[in-house]
Each structure stands twice: as C-alpha cells, then as structure tokens.
Amino acid sequence: MRQTLPARPTLNMVISSLIAILLLAAAPSAATEIMSLAWDYTGAETGDLLGYAVNTAGDVNNDGFADIIIGAPKETDTVDREGVVHIFHGGPNKPDTPDRSLSSHEKGSEFGGAVSTAGDVNGDGFDDVIIGAPSFKNDTTQAGAIFVYHGSGGGIGSTPDWHFVSQLGGINLGISVSSAGDVNGDGFADVIVGASEYLSGTVTYGGAYLFFGSTTGLTDTARQILTGTQANARFGFAVSGAGDVNGDGYSDVIIAAPKYDDAEAEDVGAVFVYFGSETGLDLDTPWSYVGDEIDLSLGAAVSAGDVNGDGYSDIIIGSAPADPVLQASRVLGFYGASTGPGAIPNWQRSGPENGSGFGRSVAGAGDVNGDGFDDVLVGAYRYTADQREEGAAFIFFGSESGPGQLAGWQTEGNKAETWFGYATGPGGDTNNDGYADIIIGAPQYRVDYKDVRGRAVVYLGTEHAGDGPIHQVYLPLVIKNN
C-alpha cells in the first residue's frame, strides 16, 4: 500500500482535536467511567502487520479475566516473516508485554492471519485458542494449516497441542477460524475453519471444515467439510460461530461467500447459516441470504450476538464493495427465532461515507454497557476525518428493539492510513468488572513515516459507554513539523 505523510494539521484541525480533548475532560464522570482507551500494543518491526487479526482468547488460564489474542502475520520470530501471535492475559492492570508469543517457524505462512478463541475443546475448564496460517506449506506447496493451543493454569503453552495441514494445495485453509460453540451438544466446544479456495473435483467452490471437540481435544480429521455451490464465490472466506439462532439447544455456524453471483449481478455476496444437531451441522436446509447489489461482497465479515435480548442469537453481516467511491458499504442484522432468521434484514446501517470500508470488520461485542443486550462493533478502516483514511470504529448498542440507527460510540485512528478498524473483535471482560471490552486492530499503524508496524488497542466497557461525548479521538495527536 502506498504510504503518504499525514496531512499537515491546519488550525481548524488542531482546534477540533483540542475541543475533543476538552470535551473528554469535561465529561460528567471520571475517565475510567467513560469508555476510553485502556491499553495498546505496537508491532516490534517494520512490516509486522500487527493487528491484522484480533479477538478474545477466552479465559485461557481460568482466572476469571478474559484474555486477548492478536495476530501479526508478517512478524519475524526465528524465521523471516513467519507470522507471530501474541496472547495477553486479562487482569486488574494493563499488560506491558505479551504473556505468550507463538510462531509458525515457516517463512511466509501468514500464521496469525486469523485468530480466535476455540472455546474449551477438551473440556478441562480452560479455554483454548485457534490460529490460521493460510499460506502454510504441506510437503510440496502452499496449502494452509490451523493450530490449536490448549489453555492451562499457566496459560497457553509454546507449542501447539493439535494442528492440521491441508494436503490439498492452494485452498487457503485457515483464512478464517472461529469457535463453533457446541454444535452437537456433547459438552465440548467445536471449531469451524474456512478454506476459500477449496477444490471439489477441479472446481474452486470454497469450503469450511468442522472439527469436533473431545476429551483429548479436536479430532484428527474433520467431522464435516462443507462446500460452496458456486465456483469462485470464496465460500469460507469468513466464518463464525452463530450461537443458538433457533433455540434448539445446539450451536449454529455462519459461513460467507462474498464473491457469490446471483442471476442478475456478479459478486453480490451470500451468507449461510447451518444449524447444529446431535450429529453435527444440518447440510440440507441452511438459511441463506444473497446480496442485492453488484460488487457488494456481502459476507466480507460475519459475527453474532443477542442484540435484542430475546434469547435467540442474531446474525451480523458486513460487506466490502468493490467500488468504494461509488458504492456505500452496509452492515445487516437478522434476528434469531424458533424458525431461524427471517428473509429480510431486521436492521441495517450504511457507512458514514462512501469509501470508508464500513463493515469490512464486524463483531458481536458482547454487552459493553451492561444493559442486558449485546452490542455491535463495526470497523471502517478507510474512514476519513481530520486525517486521510485514518479509520474508525463504531458501537451500535443493543436494545429490546435491536441496535439503533445511530452509533452510540465512535473512535478514530487519528493518523493517516493506519487501517484502524480493519480488524475488530470482542475482548470479553478483561478486567472482570461485569462489562464486555473490545479490541481494534490497525495493521498499517506507523511509528514514523516509513516504519509501518501495526497496532492493536483495547477499550474497556462501562455502564456509561454511551454517555458524554460520542466522538472519542484515539490519542495522542501526532503533529509533524517540517
């Protein structure tokens, strides 16, 4: 990506930033009571892309504090650009350094391009993590691989407890990873993994692998391999656990195909929900929704949460239009029900401006303000305000009628071309105060003009998350003098 110097601040820009600072200072309660930046972590070297993928790790050491997982798929540990993943334990104080850093030991594997909690796949009471490496090589060619590390009293170990390498070349296994919840109701968490270039015969349909948990961890082979129905639709590009969408007691999964074509237009995108059962996912009757605009790429990101508090998990879908100048990106919400989601969106929101990348990342944020409703976190990594394409993130708070049309909270990157909001994720409750926290990635964050390392930031939830100024600037403001 072409790098440019941040625009020289004008008097109006400086005044605007100072006003933002004064508004924060004048907020009705202490800074810790307003949703504000808790801590951040920056890549170690140029080109690390730290923050490309971010998520909750669950509670890997079972201490009551949720933990954080951050991917840097181009970071070097012992092998050039192998990819490194950092685990930070939650606690009452902000962390200074990772509690564990993991690497693939293979050049260019893109280890950490996708990261997630796996849930508790072996039923030992400690959450586990799953990491994708979509360019990892098998014996002959790039194919993709996934790695699972089990939690313990001391946290995650330094070597994987389970891994799976694709024997099919070039399928991008691990381009997306997620806990699937407990799909078959056996008491063990399962995982879902995307392979967007999966071959069925000689046709690239895309696919997704479901692995069941057990007392010893994940099974050696996939319990089910789901394949797309249309060539080159990139089925499996995004996957997520859906929670229990239809209230039958089994967890469901979401799989997206953002390059899906309908009869009238190309690359509209499509999203599928497969329902869990005692034997696994029901492949015969998935719910689906197809985009309605050419090049919308619906399904660039998917997530879930109960945004209206009715006991059914709801579906959140982001998009990434091919023409960001002329097309508005959108985020859609479909509410769960005993019969599954409906045929039309219950909630949708367009980006604040064309070209903002709004919806390229979405996350069920959990209950950030403690009102009993899950909230929706949306990234807009090319959003422009004071700085060109500085990026932004928005929270839409849940309610009995679902999320509102206006964001209840917003934060910005405040540095040109950082890709702030390219990745967004739930943080879980990292400080155990009863409120869900969030994490945002900015993989193009620059320490200076040429030193692009990436950064991830964590904000703490609070009862007053939506109080005071809606607009929060990601400080500090950096002014370059020539």
Side-chain angles (χ1 to χ4, degrees):
M1 179 177 179
R2 180 176 61 88
Q3 300 296 323
T4 60
L5 283 168
R8 179 177 294 181
T10 64
L11 179 60
N12 286 338
M13 289 164 58
V14 174
I15 290 173
S16 297
S17 296
L18 290 174
I19 289 173
I21 294 169
L22 291 172
L23 283 172
L24 289 173
S29 55
T32 53
E33 295 181 0
I34 297 175
M35 191 167 184
S36 56
L37 178 67
W39 59 269
D40 59 69
Y41 186 72
T42 302
E45 301 290 343
T46 300
D48 284 353
L49 291 185
L50 186 134
Y52 185 89
V54 298
N55 216 322
T56 179
D59 187 0
V60 298
N61 57 352
N62 197 24
D63 64 352
F65 298 92
D67 308 312
I68 294 291
I69 184 168
I70 300 171
K74 296 296 183 182
E75 185 173 342
T76 297
D77 181 15
T78 59
V79 178
D80 185 48
R81 299 303 185 199
E82 61 190 297
V84 177
V85 170
H86 303 283
I87 307 288
F88 294 83
H89 292 168
N93 303 312
K94 69 177 184 179
D96 295 319
T97 58
D99 291 281
R100 176 69 70 186
S101 294
L102 310 166
S103 55
S104 68
H105 308 299
E106 181 173 306
K107 181 178 180 179
S109 69
E110 296 186 290
F111 180 84
V115 298
S116 177
T117 177
D120 185 3
V121 300
N122 59 350
D124 63 355
F126 300 94
D127 286 334
D128 312 310
V129 300
I130 182 168
I131 299 168
S135 294
F136 195 92
K137 291 181 180 178
N138 57 25
D139 293 336
T140 58
T141 187
Q142 288 185 339
I146 46 177
F147 302 82
V148 170
Y149 298 77
H150 293 164
S152 70
I156 297 296
S158 59
T159 58
D161 295 280
W162 177 95
H163 72 281
F164 182 89
V165 181
S166 171
Q167 294 307 303
L168 292 173
I171 70 169
N172 282 358
L173 180 72
I175 193 169
S176 56
V177 298
S178 177
S179 171
D182 187 1
V183 167
N184 59 343
D186 65 354
F188 300 97
D190 311 312
V191 300
I192 186 78
V193 181
S196 60
E197 310 304 314
Y198 181 85
L199 286 168
S200 181
T202 59
V203 181
T204 305
Y205 283 116
Y209 289 58
L210 177 71
F211 294 88
F212 280 173
S214 72
T215 54
T216 57
L218 296 182
T219 52
D220 292 335
T221 59
R223 177 62 178 83
Q224 293 175 292
I225 299 177
L226 295 75
T227 57
T229 58
Q230 188 179 97
N232 303 313
R234 304 209 77 189
F235 180 86
F237 177 81
V239 300
S240 177
D244 188 359
V245 175
N246 57 355
D248 63 356
Y250 299 97
S251 296
D252 311 314
V253 303
I254 315 169
I255 305 174
K259 295 302 179 183
Y260 190 93
D261 303 334
D262 71 4
E264 299 179 354
E266 294 182 347
D267 295 349
V268 296
V271 174
F272 304 84
V273 173
Y274 294 86
F275 299 105
S277 73
E278 186 176 0
T279 57
L281 295 174
D282 178 359
L283 306 186
D284 296 327
T285 57
W287 173 90
S288 63
Y289 182 81
V290 178
D292 58 3
E293 182 181 347
I294 187 172
D295 293 333
L296 180 62
S297 294
L298 188 74
V302 292
S303 191
D306 186 3
V307 298
N308 59 354
D310 63 355
Y312 297 97
S313 189
D314 309 313
I315 305 303
I316 306 163
I317 304 171
S319 62
D323 189 338
V325 176
L326 298 179
Q327 288 181 281
S329 50
R330 282 181 275 165
V331 174
L332 307 182
F334 293 83
Y335 298 162
S338 60
T339 55
I344 59 175
N346 299 97
W347 176 80
Q348 59 181 308
R349 180 71 171 88
S350 296
E353 58 187 20
N354 286 5
S356 68
F358 180 85
R360 176 57 185 81
S361 65
V362 298
D367 187 3
V368 172
N369 59 351
D371 62 357
F373 303 96
D374 287 343
D375 308 312
V376 178
L377 175 63
V378 181
Y381 74 105
R382 297 179 65 181
Y383 176 87
T384 295
D386 290 344
Q387 301 287 329
R388 180 178 182 272
E389 295 187 356
E390 61 188 288
F394 306 83
I395 293 179
F396 296 84
F397 292 110
S399 71
E400 188 173 355
S401 57
Q405 288 301 306
L406 298 177
W409 180 87
Q410 172 181 341
T411 187
E412 298 171 4
N414 202 43
K415 221 177 190 184
E417 297 181 340
T418 67
W419 286 23
F420 182 82
Y422 182 83
T424 55
D429 187 0
T430 62
N431 59 345
N432 198 22
D433 64 352
Y435 302 97
D437 310 318
I438 63 169
I439 181 168
I440 301 169
Q444 289 288 328
Y445 178 86
R446 292 192 307 276
V447 175
D448 58 36
Y449 172 44
K450 294 182 179 180
D451 192 0
V452 181
R453 300 188 185 187
R455 174 175 283 188
V457 299
V458 172
Y459 292 84
L460 299 181
T462 169
E463 180 183 358
H464 303 286
D467 294 354
I470 181 177
H471 177 92
Q472 296 204 23
V473 177
Y474 172 41
L475 300 177
L477 174 67
V478 177
I479 299 177
K480 179 178 175 62
N481 294 314
N482 289 330

